């Protein structure tokens, strides 16, 4: 059964089902990434990333897991050309982003979509405008300004919202949304962006288990349908192991493991998450079924 979004002034867009692809113009072929001995230091004695090397092929789907402060957000920022590494080499789509001219760097960034854990959504903005902001890299200044006054394509925004069961929020103000709704609005923005790579930072932190599973499946399916690359940081270890073909474990700015989920052991997870002060020590059993190790201070299903 289709639903009809409440229409804004002067809008009459019909009733498509909202289940099809959005942002269909795309941003070209999927993007690959390479880090070569990359380090990032924000000050102090410990590096946010320390001598990290990895390669992510175009179209891959990769989960980054690890305790808070492990370097996941920093890694996404470096991969998305939003943060320049202090040391090492970075290649995005075969190019060093920091050697590009200003226009070339903007063109490269237009092919990437970075979704931060806390969505930067203006409180008084309508959801339709917030979603369509995903099109900004492809619009002229005049188009962007016109869309602020009269949203350029409400139906595109509604279709993206429908993927997250939020189509009824199309004309709602952002400050009327719950935290989980804001998080999904930010991801709907990713869907309309037409990006060739999605770099998503903890997209499930404000969602209940049912919505978390739905949201992750939408992101993965969208990336598959478009042939786009998906890199996602998660605290939900069970979902990372169940939904991604490759999982990278980060701790203290270092890669602890990088392998297929079937080859990630309970000992790998224990070593990744153990608390130095309270345990559990490396070697303590961890199971996906229970998400627990039989000792005080055990890791849980979500970290």
């Amino acid at each position: 059964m289709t639903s009809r979004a409440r229409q804004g002034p002067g809008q009459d867009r019909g009733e498509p089902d909202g289940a099809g692809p959005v942002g269909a113009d795309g941003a070209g072929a999927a993007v690959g990434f390479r880090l070569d001995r990359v380090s990032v230091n924000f000050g102090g004695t410990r590096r946010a990333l320390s001598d990290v090397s990895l390669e992510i092929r175009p179209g891959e789907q990769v989960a980054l897991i690890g305790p808070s402060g492990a370097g996941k957000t920093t890694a996404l920022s470096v991969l998305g050309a939003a943060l320049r590494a202090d040391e090492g080499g970075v290649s995005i789509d075969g190019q060093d982003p920091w050697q590009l001219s200003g226009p070339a760097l903007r063109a490269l960034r237009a092919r990437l979509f970075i979704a931060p854990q806390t969505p930067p959504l203006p409180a008084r903005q309508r959801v339709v405008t917030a979603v369509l902001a995903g099109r900004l890299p492809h619009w002229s200044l005049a188009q962007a300004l016109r869309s602020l006054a009269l949203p350029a394509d409400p139906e595109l925004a509604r279709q993206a919202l429908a993927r997250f069961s939020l189509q009824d929020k199309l004309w709602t103000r952002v400050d009327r949304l719950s935290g989980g709704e804001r998080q999904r609005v930010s991801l709907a923005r990713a869907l309309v962006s037409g990006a060739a790579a999605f770099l998503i930072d903890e997209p499930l932190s404000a969602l209940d288990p049912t919505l978390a599973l739905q949201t992750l499946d939408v992101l993965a399916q969208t990336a598959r349908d478009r042939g786009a690359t998906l890199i996602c940081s998660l605290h939900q270890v069970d979902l990372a192991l169940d939904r991604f073909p490759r999982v990278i474990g980060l701790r203290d700015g270092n890669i602890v493991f990088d392998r297929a989920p079937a080859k990630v052991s309970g000992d790998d997870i224990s070593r990744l998450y153990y608390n130095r002060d309270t345990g559990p020590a490396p070697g303590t059993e961890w199971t996906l079924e229970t998400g627990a190790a039989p000792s005080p201070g055990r890791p849980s299903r979500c970290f």
Side-chain angles (χ1 to χ4, degrees):
M1 178 178 179
T2 59
S3 62
R4 186 181 183 92
R6 182 171 73 83
Q7 295 169 347
Q11 303 298 325
D12 186 5
R13 299 301 302 247
E15 299 182 3
D17 62 12
V22 294
D25 58 333
V31 175
F33 301 85
R34 183 181 181 89
L35 303 183
D36 183 18
R37 304 193 68 176
V38 162
S39 295
V40 175
N41 192 338
F42 294 126
T45 58
R46 196 180 76 178
R47 292 176 169 181
L49 291 178
S50 181
D51 204 34
V52 168
S53 296
L54 64 86
E55 183 173 0
I56 297 174
R57 296 183 298 277
E60 265 199 288
Q61 296 193 4
V62 181
L64 306 180
I65 64 173
S68 297
K72 303 184 295 297
T73 298
T74 302
L76 288 174
S77 297
V78 171
L79 291 167
L83 175 67
R84 188 167 188 170
D86 295 309
E87 299 175 20
V90 178
S91 174
I92 303 173
D93 201 30
Q95 306 172 88
D96 181 341
W98 306 109
Q99 298 301 315
L100 298 175
S101 65
L105 179 57
R106 287 192 293 273
L108 177 62
R109 285 172 171 163
R111 302 182 62 205
L112 313 175
F113 187 90
I114 302 177
Q117 181 181 357
T118 303
L121 305 178
R124 297 175 62 86
Q125 195 172 68
R126 299 286 179 185
V127 167
V128 60
T129 305
V131 173
L132 290 176
R135 301 297 304 152
L136 287 175
H138 309 286
W139 285 349
S140 67
L141 176 60
Q143 285 176 300
L145 292 175
R146 281 197 302 268
S147 190
L148 283 175
L150 185 66
D153 195 343
E155 186 54 37
L156 179 68
R158 193 196 71 81
Q159 289 183 18
L161 290 165
R163 301 290 300 276
F164 300 103
S165 303
L166 287 176
Q167 62 269 30
D168 60 326
K169 304 294 185 182
L170 183 66
W171 299 102
T172 302
R173 273 183 22 170
V174 167
D175 58 5
R176 308 288 174 81
L177 302 177
S178 69
E181 288 170 340
R182 293 187 192 199
Q183 203 160 36
R184 287 180 288 156
V185 165
S186 176
L187 298 177
R189 178 186 287 185
L191 266 57
V192 307
S193 69
F198 301 115
L199 298 93
I200 314 293
D201 193 9
E202 296 186 25
L204 314 180
S205 59
L207 304 182
D208 64 49
T210 299
L211 285 175
L213 188 59
Q214 176 200 20
T215 298
L216 200 57
D217 284 347
V218 168
L219 292 173
Q221 188 61 53
T222 299
R224 280 193 294 270
D225 290 345
R226 299 183 186 177
T229 308
L230 174 63
I231 309 170
C232 188
S233 73
L234 291 172
H235 279 304
Q236 292 79 1
V237 174
D238 49 353
L239 291 181
L241 296 176
D242 186 56
R243 287 300 201 267
F244 285 84
R246 178 181 174 190
V247 178
I248 298 175
L250 286 166
R251 182 182 177 97
D252 294 335
N254 297 280
I255 293 179
V256 178
F257 59 79
D258 178 357
R259 57 181 72 115
K263 296 183 178 180
V264 177
S265 68
D267 188 58
D268 289 327
I269 300 298
S270 292
R271 288 180 182 276
L272 188 64
Y273 285 100
Y274 83 93
N275 186 292
R276 292 185 180 88
D277 299 318
T278 64
T284 302
E285 182 181 2
W286 183 94
T287 64
L288 181 60
E289 289 73 21
T290 63
S295 78
R298 60 182 178 269
S300 63
R301 292 174 69 89
C302 300
F303 298 88

